[in-house]
Amino acid sequence: MGGALTLTIAALAYPSMLGVSTVSSSPDRIIAQTQWGPLTEGDRDFVVKVRAAGLWEYPVGQMGLQKGTTPEVKTASAHLIDGHAALDTTCRKIAPMLGITLPNKASPQQQGFVNQLAADSGKKFDTDFANILRMTHGSIFNAIAKIRSTTKNRLVRVLAEQANATVLDHMTVMEKTGLVDFDQTIFQQTTPPKLPKTDLTPPPPAAGEPEVVLTPPPTSTTTPPAIPAK
């Protein structure tokens, strides 16, 4: 579990600009003036990162509904699907308003992690699922708070507030599985590894490629927030 787990954590802890192999070196640099406020490199990276997170966690949630062996794991899986579908709706609404290109695929490391969980079964699936998802959400939690407290862009604030509530919820349901190893979680969150930058970047969509939509479940209880017109 360690290798894939480490790669996924790093991908979330160090968001990369879409289609660029280097992490943003000037997150505070303003790259566009919009009617909702200035947009910085950090703002853009955050929107891309939220989208990329959903592209692997949503299918992992679907997997958990099928492979989870406890009610708690299945509940956590349902929360992943519900929460990331709502976040995806917001990302897809605000990205064109801000001129941000969204990925249609997760990064190579994130997709590799999906593949690893697909190979798990039984109790091993439950344990890997709970620990990895708790670690990744814990890793991104502080990044969301920083964006919310520093962005001057109203649309990015809306997404940050929604992401904060969603990630807190997902951390909580992972903990309620009773399977989280907190010592390992804290170590992974505070000691992210250094990886090839190209492995951390979700590939850009091909020209004319249909946009991937994370469809809300029929039983969804999450309503995406209203988007300010200006």
Side-chain angles (χ1 to χ4, degrees), residues 33-120:
Q33 292 288 353
T34 80
Q35 66 191 84
W36 301 277
L39 183 75
T40 66
E41 287 190 13
D43 293 335
R44 175 184 54 189
D45 288 349
F46 175 70
V47 176
V48 170
K49 182 170 68 170
V50 173
R51 165 72 167 178
L55 291 172
W56 75 271
E57 292 179 26
Y58 182 95
V60 164
Q62 294 176 315
M63 197 182 302
L65 289 180
Q66 298 297 319
K67 301 175 68 172
T69 68
T70 71
E72 292 79 10
V73 169
K74 289 184 181 293
T75 294
S77 299
H79 280 236
L80 283 181
I81 296 170
D82 198 9
H84 280 291
L87 283 172
D88 189 68
T89 296
T90 302
C91 283
R92 289 184 293 102
K93 283 183 179 178
I94 72 172
M97 298 166 75
L98 298 174
I100 298 173
T101 301
L102 295 177
N104 273 331
K105 297 178 182 177
S107 72
Q109 274 67 31
Q110 291 169 334
Q111 185 55 48
F113 186 70
V114 174
N115 295 340
Q116 179 187 338
L117 272 180
D120 278 352

Side-chain angles (χ1 to χ4, degrees), residues 6 9-10 13-14 139 183-194:
T6 295
I9 297 272
Y14 296 97
S139 177
D183 288 337
Q184 185 182 30
T185 295
I186 294 171
F187 176 78
Q188 291 287 351
Q189 288 177 194
T190 58
T191 315
K194 293 182 179 180

Side-chain angles (χ1 to χ4, degrees), residues 95-176:
M97 298 166 75
L98 298 174
I100 298 173
T101 301
L102 295 177
N104 273 331
K105 297 178 182 177
S107 72
Q109 274 67 31
Q110 291 169 334
Q111 185 55 48
F113 186 70
V114 174
N115 295 340
Q116 179 187 338
L117 272 180
D120 278 352
S121 61
K123 190 66 174 180
K124 179 170 174 29
F125 174 87
D126 293 343
T127 301
D128 287 357
F129 172 90
N131 279 279
I132 294 170
L133 270 299
R134 172 56 179 82
M135 291 176 189
T136 55
H137 284 86
S139 177
I140 198 175
F141 196 51
N142 290 336
I144 295 170
K146 182 176 181 180
I147 287 289
R148 176 59 185 86
S149 66
T150 61
T151 186
K152 298 177 182 179
N153 189 281
R154 291 191 294 281
L155 297 185
V156 175
R157 279 202 294 273
V158 168
L159 179 62
E161 290 173 1
Q162 181 186 3
N164 183 73
T166 301
V167 170
L168 179 58
D169 171 68
H170 291 175
M171 290 169 62
T172 301
V173 292
M174 294 304 159
E175 292 164 356
K176 287 182 177 179

